[in-house]
Amino acid sequence: MDLGDPTTNPISFTLGSADEFFTEPVGARDEDGYRRAWQRVVAEHGAEAARVTRIAAYWEPSAADRRFLDETFADAGLQFIFERPEPARWDGALAKAQQVLDEILRAEEAEELAAEARRAREKQAGGELLPVLRSGSLGGSDVVRQTMPWLPVAGRDLFATFAYTALTPHGTVGMRHVLSKHLGGEADFTGIVTAALDSVKEGLVLEEAVTETGRLIRMHRPDGFGAAGAVMLPDFHERMSGIHGWDELTVAILCPDDLWITRSGTPDADRLAQEVRAAGQQAPELRPSLLSVTATAIDLVVESAS
């Protein structure tokens, strides 16, 4: 149903509260469109006329449909946008209706864009709760685990804390870390983990490259933040292995913002291992790391020495 087409008359029947309604499209010029729309609603949904509280449409009902509505829905309100023209004036009426609908749709689109921009500003101001992957081999890891709630990813070799992450006015990434003293107990921690994992999977993008010896998959997020935390998702192995039937995955984390994935035991896996060993550290809390991921375990294979 094209809501921008004035030659269509979408007729909506609201039952009881505004939460339950059914819409059926008919032709704008139909003399019995309201009656036929209601017949479809009854046939498809078993609706009862006595429950209808409001009827809304683009076009005013014809005289015949007026009689039908009065007889069938005595207590229901009626709303429509366009008055029904005389038969000879339909072309002009449809042209004017098209202009009105175009303006309505443009206004709705502008409102949606404004709302999305508002949500983005709020998200940026408050920060997005995301996992922060950390290398256990780095100094201070024990202190971090004592002061921040954490989860093992590859045992203690790779673990995750949590932080509200956002761009600063200078274009750098700012983090407001969740501290153990901020939590009221296990339920609070469960809520933090759930929210962070929900955030990290939002908008994940997969890109695939065909190499001379196989395939590589890159996982990242449009905003550039924290996609490496996706390795913590409960369905990560199931989702990624299901693409090409790879039972064991080799996952390279060169920086916190993306993952490189291929099948273990392949030349591509060997190349990822070489890249990890040679890579410089791009985040203070995480060394470039190579993981082996199966259906039952995540293990650290190698990490950069630098």
Side-chain angles (χ1 to χ4, degrees):
M1 180 171 56
D2 183 0
L3 295 179
D5 180 10
T7 65
T8 299
N9 190 19
I11 302 176
S12 178
F13 300 88
T14 298
L15 280 62
S17 68
D19 294 332
E20 186 178 10
F21 63 91
F22 304 105
T23 302
E24 290 290 338
V26 296
R29 305 188 193 211
D30 291 353
E31 293 288 325
D32 61 347
Y34 282 75
R35 178 181 60 80
R36 290 192 297 106
W38 175 245
Q39 288 175 342
R40 286 185 214 153
V41 170
V42 172
E44 295 177 13
H45 307 286
E48 299 176 357
R51 295 191 56 216
V52 175
T53 56
R54 187 173 72 95
I55 302 167
Y58 280 1
W59 291 97
E60 180 183 10
S62 66
D65 266 337
R66 281 276 190 186
R67 290 191 294 272
F68 165 73
L69 295 177
D70 291 342
E71 293 169 359
T72 311
F73 311 102
D75 298 325
L78 173 64
Q79 294 179 331
F80 56 85
I81 301 175
F82 309 116
E83 293 183 354
R84 192 174 191 85
E86 296 294 328
R89 297 182 177 179
W90 266 108
D91 289 345
L94 289 171
K96 290 181 180 179
Q98 184 69 72
Q99 294 176 354
V100 172
L101 290 178
D102 288 345
E103 291 177 3
I104 291 174
L105 293 176
R106 280 196 297 270
E108 289 179 350
E109 182 178 355
E111 184 176 347
E112 290 176 2
L113 290 173
E116 181 63 29
R118 186 166 56 253
R119 287 191 293 269
R121 287 194 300 270
E122 292 171 352
K123 181 177 177 180
Q124 182 171 339
E128 183 179 16
L129 183 62
L130 291 170
V132 179
L133 294 182
R134 295 179 177 273
S135 298
S137 60
L138 290 173
S141 293
D142 289 339
V143 174
V144 169
R145 284 189 283 257
Q146 290 170 8
T147 57
M148 300 181 190
W150 63 282
L151 278 180
V153 178
R156 294 172 71 89
D157 294 326
L158 183 70
F159 64 101
T161 59
F162 304 89
Y164 293 92
T165 306
L167 281 176
T168 70
H170 304 290
T172 58
V173 177
M175 292 185 181
R176 181 164 54 89
H177 296 281
V178 176
L179 303 179
S180 298
K181 65 182 180 181
H182 293 157
L183 301 182
E186 185 175 345
D188 280 359
F189 182 48
T190 300
I192 288 289
V193 173
T194 300
L197 294 183
D198 284 344
S199 291
V200 79
K201 68 182 179 184
E202 183 179 343
L204 279 174
V205 177
L206 299 183
E207 296 177 351
E208 187 166 325
V210 178
T211 69
E212 294 180 356
T213 54
R215 295 175 182 270
L216 282 174
I217 296 174
R218 180 191 175 213
M219 179 179 285
H220 62 100
R221 299 174 71 233
D223 62 10
F225 287 160
V231 73
M232 299 172 59
L233 295 173
D235 64 346
F236 177 81
H237 178 269
E238 179 182 5
R239 179 180 179 186
M240 300 311 302
S241 64
I243 297 175
H244 294 298
W246 299 339
D247 292 333
E248 183 177 346
L249 307 174
T250 290
V251 180
I253 306 175
L254 300 175
C255 74
D257 298 326
D258 58 18
L259 297 171
W260 291 91
I261 306 154
T262 194
R263 186 173 190 169
S264 295
T266 63
D268 290 319
D270 293 339
R271 279 193 290 273
L272 286 181
Q274 293 172 8
E275 289 184 25
V276 166
R277 290 189 181 97
Q281 188 171 333
Q282 299 187 40
E285 68 279 348
L286 179 68
R287 284 181 168 144
S289 303
L290 191 78
L291 307 177
S292 169
V293 180
T294 66
T296 57
I298 300 176
D299 296 308
L300 178 67
V301 177
V302 68
E303 63 183 5
S304 171
S306 57

